[in-house]
Amino acid sequence: MSKPKRLHPIVSILHTGKRIRNLLIPLLALNFSGAKDGKEQLWISLAGSFIAIIITFFTGILSWLRFTYRFENDELRIEYGVFVRKKRYIPFDRIQSIDLSEGVLQRLFGLVKVQIETAGGGGGEEAEAVLSAITKEDARVIQEFVAAAKDHGINTAEAAQEKEEIYKITTNQLMLLSLTSGGVGVVISAVFALLSQLDDFIPYKRLFGSGIEKWALHNLILVSILVFVGFFIAWIIALVMTTMKYANFSVVKSEKDIVISRGLLEKRQITVPLNRIQAIRISENNIRQILGYGTVYVESAGGSAANQEGANVTLLPIVKMQQIRSILEPYLPEYHFGYSFTPVPKRALLRYIVRSSFVVVPIVIVALIFLKVWGLLSLLILAVVMGNAVLKYKAAGWSLDQQQLSLRFRTMNRITVLMKKNRIQSLEMRESHFQRKRELGTIEGSVKSGVGGAGGTVIDIERSDLQKIYNWYSRKKKNRDTADC
């Protein structure tokens, strides 16, 4: 039994800062609204905002004071709550994974954040338990208690020696990963999301006047340069973010877990229990596909709404496609990476093109009618859409290998999903009216992953192939025998 311990005092600042940040936009809106109604209302709204911040500040400190944890009777015991005292007891042998992370503040004080997932806690709104800032020594003690509980008392030092390194990113791989990442889209989305939040507070018309559209039309070259510069800056930001996120990336396998470590500014350590792996997903964006590289993810039954990364874990951030089999099959022998895909039939190609183009074609026709010569540019969009449809058709396929179903399809990236039969939550086959006439169908398989599911969909498979996959998945022995033939 240990004495009750508190989290580091920095937690009170972190939690208070987070709550005040969440209050910021509502308080700004309240004060802007008050300012419109006169000085008296403005002073009232300012006073209300001040009181709200003071209450948030004190409740943040009280939350920290009331949060304690201790080790007792092979359990991690947590007690917390300002007005209602709550207790959470987690037996060490029920803990499935422990994720560690070190943000900037934690690193300044030599601390670590611990997120604990249990067998019954996957898919909840948040991790089963979060210790926001404890010493590395306490985190190590928790890991040792959990390891001892899992190994039923086997010497943890011996177990540690059994760890094998699966993968360690090289400098060249890190640079290639950063240069080919799609993070620029994330940066641009974040900028637009921020601008949309500030839309009510920025007086665009007062700043730019009512003739901004005319100005833009008369300065197309300048606007194009500004857009290009904006994309370039976003790309640089994304490159730096990716480099810091995946620096020092390594994967180690112990007897029952895969442990992933990464990060330069913020260090993270994610533990994925082998028995919680639901599927393997391989993603190739267009550039990496041309270069022969891909990214491997693990779909895990762990994770939570607040920790999606615990469910969709990057296992190999960038790797030669030809090397995936040699790297992973010795450590994940139940998965087969030497698959041979059966493509969808040739008669499905026209359906892929029509399905992708039917929204764009009316837009192109309208553009040609009303924009005359400029409308010809819309043909480029149609060509891109049709080209992407052909790529989707070429990517689509499936494979059966004993107890494994593999599906390949394309969204923006080419995706390959490997699912074991006993992990598949649902396997749906469906036929539309037009598919039935062409003897085609769609297959959709899903596995449990975090709060929801994951899987894949392949459209326009040969109907006889659908029946073969159904027989393979069926619990009826007669159907299984037919599938094996």
Side-chain angles (χ1 to χ4, degrees):
M1 174 179 176
S2 67
K3 294 181 180 179
K5 299 182 179 181
R6 286 198 176 90
L7 303 177
H8 192 276
I10 193 67
V11 171
S12 63
I13 298 175
L14 287 171
H15 286 183
T16 303
K18 186 177 180 182
R19 291 175 182 179
I20 291 177
R21 185 190 64 190
N22 294 335
L23 278 174
L24 200 57
I25 290 179
L27 291 181
L28 282 173
L30 177 67
N31 288 307
F32 270 95
S33 176
K36 289 179 181 177
D37 296 334
K39 287 185 177 179
E40 186 178 346
Q41 288 297 323
L42 175 61
W43 281 110
I44 292 174
S45 58
L46 285 173
S49 301
F50 180 74
I51 293 171
I53 291 175
I54 293 296
I55 292 174
T56 304
F57 178 75
F58 279 107
T59 54
I61 294 177
L62 282 174
S63 295
W64 168 72
L65 285 171
R66 301 278 284 174
F67 191 107
T68 62
Y69 68 97
R70 67 183 189 276
F71 312 125
E72 186 174 337
N73 295 333
D74 295 328
E75 292 178 332
L76 172 63
R77 299 191 170 187
I78 299 173
E79 299 184 6
Y80 61 101
V82 176
F83 302 107
V84 179
R85 193 69 171 161
K86 299 177 182 178
K87 298 179 180 179
R88 181 173 291 176
Y89 297 162
I90 305 172
F92 288 121
D93 59 355
R94 284 190 62 237
I95 294 176
Q96 289 289 314
S97 65
I98 299 175
D99 294 345
L100 307 181
S101 61
E102 299 174 48
V104 176
L105 281 177
Q106 280 102 343
R107 292 183 70 177
L108 282 175
F109 293 93
L111 305 170
V112 65
K113 178 181 178 181
V114 179
Q115 295 188 86
I116 295 171
E117 299 283 355
T118 66
E125 290 297 318
E126 56 184 11
E128 185 75 5
V130 179
L131 304 178
S132 302
I134 63 175
T135 63
K136 293 180 180 179
E137 177 63 20
D138 280 351
R140 185 186 62 77
V141 170
I142 294 174
Q143 287 180 311
E144 287 188 353
F145 272 122
V146 173
K150 284 184 176 180
D151 295 336
H152 305 289
I154 294 176
N155 190 323
T156 54
E158 293 178 0
Q161 292 177 358
E162 295 174 359
K163 292 182 178 179
E164 295 180 73
E165 185 174 89
I166 297 176
Y167 173 89
K168 187 173 180 61
I169 197 166
T170 64
T171 303
N172 290 340
Q173 286 175 326
L174 181 60
M175 288 304 299
L176 185 60
L177 175 72
S178 302
L179 291 170
T180 59
S181 76
V184 63
V186 177
V187 174
I188 292 173
S189 300
V191 171
F192 276 105
L194 179 63
L195 291 177
S196 68
Q197 291 291 325
L198 300 177
D199 187 56
D200 294 334
F201 307 115
I202 299 176
Y204 288 106
K205 286 189 177 179
R206 192 182 302 172
L207 291 174
F208 299 106
S210 57
I212 186 171
E213 295 87 356
K214 290 183 179 177
W215 178 86
L217 285 173
H218 288 89
N219 295 276
L220 278 176
I221 295 178
L222 178 60
V223 171
S224 302
I225 292 173
L226 290 175
V227 171
F228 175 79
V229 171
F231 272 96
F232 182 74
I233 293 173
W235 180 71
I236 294 294
I237 293 172
L239 189 148
V240 174
M241 289 171 60
T242 305
T243 302
M244 290 194 298
K245 181 177 180 181
Y246 290 99
N248 303 319
F249 193 102
S250 67
V251 183
V252 174
K253 179 185 176 295
S254 63
E255 184 182 357
K256 298 179 180 178
D257 303 314
I258 289 177
V259 182
I260 298 165
S261 305
R262 64 163 174 78
L264 193 62
L265 193 60
E266 180 190 23
K267 292 185 177 180
R268 291 211 62 179
Q269 186 182 87
I270 302 172
T271 303
V272 182
L274 292 171
N275 61 2
R276 303 202 87 181
I277 294 178
Q278 304 296 302
I280 303 292
R281 180 164 57 89
I282 303 168
S283 175
E284 305 162 75
N285 67 28
N286 291 331
I287 298 175
R288 290 177 189 167
Q289 187 181 344
I290 292 171
L291 298 175
Y293 283 85
T295 301
V296 181
Y297 300 88
V298 168
E299 301 289 354
S300 170
S304 60
N307 180 28
Q308 282 294 311
E309 199 173 6
N312 185 2
V313 183
T314 303
L315 184 61
L316 306 177
I318 191 161
V319 62
K320 275 276 189 185
M321 291 294 291
Q322 295 175 344
Q323 295 176 344
I324 292 176
R325 184 177 186 179
S326 60
I327 293 174
L328 292 183
E329 274 198 352
Y331 304 99
L332 299 172
E334 64 273 25
Y335 287 93
H336 301 150
F337 296 88
Y339 32 72
S340 176
F341 280 95
T342 302
V344 297
K346 290 182 179 178
R347 62 181 184 278
L349 174 59
L350 183 60
R351 286 182 49 77
Y352 271 81
I353 294 175
V354 171
R355 192 165 40 246
S356 298
S357 323
F358 76 90
V359 174
V360 177
V361 168
I363 297 174
V364 171
I365 293 174
V366 171
L368 290 173
I369 293 173
F370 291 99
L371 299 180
K372 307 299 181 185
V373 178
W374 285 102
L376 293 172
L377 291 174
S378 63
L379 293 175
L380 293 175
I381 300 174
L382 182 62
V384 170
V385 170
M386 294 180 67
N388 190 52
V390 174
L391 291 177
K392 286 183 176 180
Y393 163 77
K394 288 186 174 180
W398 63 278
S399 172
L400 279 181
D401 186 356
Q402 297 178 1
Q403 296 299 304
Q404 176 177 303
L405 171 64
S406 306
L407 300 178
R408 174 172 285 177
F409 55 97
R410 176 182 288 277
T411 50
M412 292 298 291
N413 300 341
R414 189 170 78 167
I415 307 292
T416 304
V417 182
L418 316 181
M419 296 178 285
K420 303 306 294 183
K421 185 177 180 180
N422 59 350
R423 299 292 189 182
I424 296 175
Q425 295 283 311
S426 68
L427 194 64
E428 180 180 331
M429 287 87 167
R430 55 180 182 268
E431 296 175 349
S432 68
H433 171 72
F434 296 104
Q435 282 180 315
R436 197 175 300 114
K437 291 178 68 173
R438 302 287 291 173
E439 297 189 344
L440 301 171
T442 298
I443 182 169
E444 181 175 359
S446 65
V447 297
K448 178 176 172 56
S449 178
V451 294
T457 304
V458 182
I459 303 172
D460 292 339
I461 288 181
E462 193 81 63
R463 181 188 287 172
S464 58
D465 291 340
L466 277 179
Q467 186 61 44
K468 187 175 182 180
I469 297 172
Y470 169 77
N471 292 341
W472 168 83
Y473 188 65
S474 173
R475 293 178 180 276
K476 294 181 179 179
K477 185 175 185 305
K478 181 181 177 182
N479 289 340
R480 291 199 304 271
D481 292 342
T482 305
D484 294 337
C485 291

Coordinates of all heavy atoms in Angstrom, one line a residue, residues 344-355 393 438 440 459-461:
V344 N -11.4 -6.3 -59.8 CA -12.8 -6.3 -60.2 C -12.8 -6.5 -61.7 O -11.8 -6.2 -62.4 CB -13.4 -5.0 -59.8 CG1 -13.5 -4.8 -58.3 CG2 -12.7 -3.8 -60.4
P345 N -13.9 -7.0 -62.3 CA -13.9 -7.3 -63.7 C -13.8 -6.0 -64.6 O -14.1 -4.9 -64.2 CB -15.3 -8.0 -63.9 CG -16.1 -7.6 -62.8 CD -15.1 -7.4 -61.6
K346 N -13.4 -6.2 -65.9 CA -13.2 -5.1 -66.8 C -14.5 -4.3 -67.0 O -14.5 -3.1 -67.2 CB -12.7 -5.6 -68.1 CG -11.2 -6.1 -68.0 CD -10.7 -6.5 -69.4 CE -9.2 -6.9 -69.3 NZ -8.7 -7.4 -70.5
R347 N -15.7 -5.0 -67.0 CA -16.9 -4.4 -67.3 C -17.3 -3.4 -66.2 O -18.3 -2.6 -66.3 CB -18.1 -5.4 -67.5 CG -18.4 -6.2 -66.3 CD -19.5 -7.2 -66.6 NE -19.9 -8.0 -65.5 CZ -19.3 -9.1 -65.0 NH1 -18.2 -9.5 -65.7 NH2 -19.8 -9.8 -64.0
A348 N -16.6 -3.4 -65.1 CA -16.9 -2.4 -64.0 C -16.2 -1.1 -64.2 O -16.6 -0.1 -63.6 CB -16.3 -3.0 -62.6
L349 N -15.3 -1.0 -65.2 CA -14.5 0.3 -65.4 C -15.5 1.4 -65.8 O -15.4 2.5 -65.2 CB -13.5 0.1 -66.5 CG -12.8 1.3 -67.0 CD1 -12.0 2.0 -65.8 CD2 -11.8 1.0 -68.1
L350 N -16.4 1.2 -66.7 CA -17.4 2.2 -67.1 C -18.2 2.7 -65.9 O -18.5 3.9 -65.7 CB -18.3 1.7 -68.2 CG -19.3 2.7 -68.8 CD1 -18.5 3.9 -69.3 CD2 -20.2 2.1 -69.8
R351 N -18.6 1.8 -65.0 CA -19.4 2.1 -63.8 C -18.5 3.0 -62.9 O -19.1 4.0 -62.3 CB -19.8 0.9 -63.1 CG -20.9 0.1 -63.8 CD -21.4 -1.1 -63.0 NE -21.6 -0.8 -61.6 CZ -22.7 -0.2 -61.2 NH1 -23.7 0.2 -62.0 NH2 -22.9 0.1 -59.9
Y352 N -17.3 2.7 -62.7 CA -16.4 3.6 -61.9 C -16.3 5.0 -62.5 O -16.4 6.0 -61.7 CB -15.0 3.0 -61.8 CG -14.8 2.0 -60.6 CD1 -15.3 0.7 -60.8 CD2 -14.3 2.4 -59.4 CE1 -15.1 -0.2 -59.7 CE2 -14.1 1.5 -58.4 CZ -14.5 0.2 -58.5 OH -14.4 -0.7 -57.5
I353 N -16.2 5.1 -63.8 CA -16.1 6.4 -64.4 C -17.4 7.2 -64.3 O -17.4 8.4 -63.9 CB -15.7 6.3 -65.9 CG1 -14.3 5.7 -66.0 CG2 -15.8 7.6 -66.6 CD1 -13.8 5.4 -67.4
V354 N -18.5 6.5 -64.6 CA -19.8 7.2 -64.5 C -20.1 7.6 -63.1 O -20.6 8.7 -62.9 CB -20.9 6.2 -65.1 CG1 -22.3 6.8 -64.8 CG2 -20.7 6.0 -66.5
R355 N -19.8 6.7 -62.1 CA -20.2 7.0 -60.7 C -19.4 8.3 -60.3 O -19.9 9.1 -59.5 CB -19.8 5.8 -59.9 CG -20.4 5.9 -58.5 CD -20.4 4.6 -57.8 NE -19.2 3.8 -58.0 CZ -19.2 2.6 -58.7 NH1 -20.3 2.1 -59.1 NH2 -18.0 2.0 -58.9
Y393 N -10.6 2.2 -60.0 CA -10.9 0.9 -60.6 C -9.7 -0.1 -60.6 O -9.8 -1.2 -60.2 CB -11.3 1.1 -62.1 CG -11.3 -0.2 -62.9 CD1 -12.2 -1.1 -62.8 CD2 -10.2 -0.4 -63.8 CE1 -12.2 -2.3 -63.6 CE2 -10.1 -1.5 -64.6 CZ -11.1 -2.5 -64.5 OH -11.0 -3.6 -65.2
R438 N -25.7 -6.3 -64.1 CA -24.3 -6.6 -64.6 C -23.6 -7.7 -63.8 O -22.4 -7.9 -64.0 CB -23.4 -5.3 -64.5 CG -24.0 -4.1 -65.2 CD -23.9 -4.2 -66.7 NE -22.5 -4.1 -67.1 CZ -22.0 -4.3 -68.3 NH1 -22.9 -4.7 -69.3 NH2 -20.7 -4.2 -68.6
L440 N -22.8 -7.8 -60.7 CA -21.8 -7.3 -59.8 C -22.3 -7.0 -58.4 O -23.5 -7.1 -58.2 CB -21.2 -5.9 -60.4 CG -20.6 -6.0 -61.8 CD1 -20.4 -4.6 -62.3 CD2 -19.3 -6.8 -61.8
I459 N -16.2 -2.0 -54.4 CA -17.4 -1.9 -55.2 C -17.2 -2.6 -56.5 O -16.1 -2.7 -57.1 CB -17.7 -0.4 -55.5 CG1 -17.8 0.4 -54.2 CG2 -19.0 -0.2 -56.3 CD1 -18.0 1.9 -54.3
D460 N -18.3 -3.2 -57.0 CA -18.4 -3.9 -58.3 C -17.5 -5.1 -58.4 O -16.7 -5.3 -59.4 CB -18.0 -2.9 -59.4 CG -19.1 -1.8 -59.6 OD1 -20.2 -2.1 -59.1 OD2 -18.8 -0.8 -60.1
I461 N -17.6 -5.9 -57.4 CA -16.9 -7.3 -57.4 C -17.8 -8.2 -58.2 O -19.0 -8.1 -58.2 CB -16.7 -7.8 -56.0 CG1 -15.6 -7.0 -55.3 CG2 -16.3 -9.2 -56.0 CD1 -15.3 -7.5 -53.9

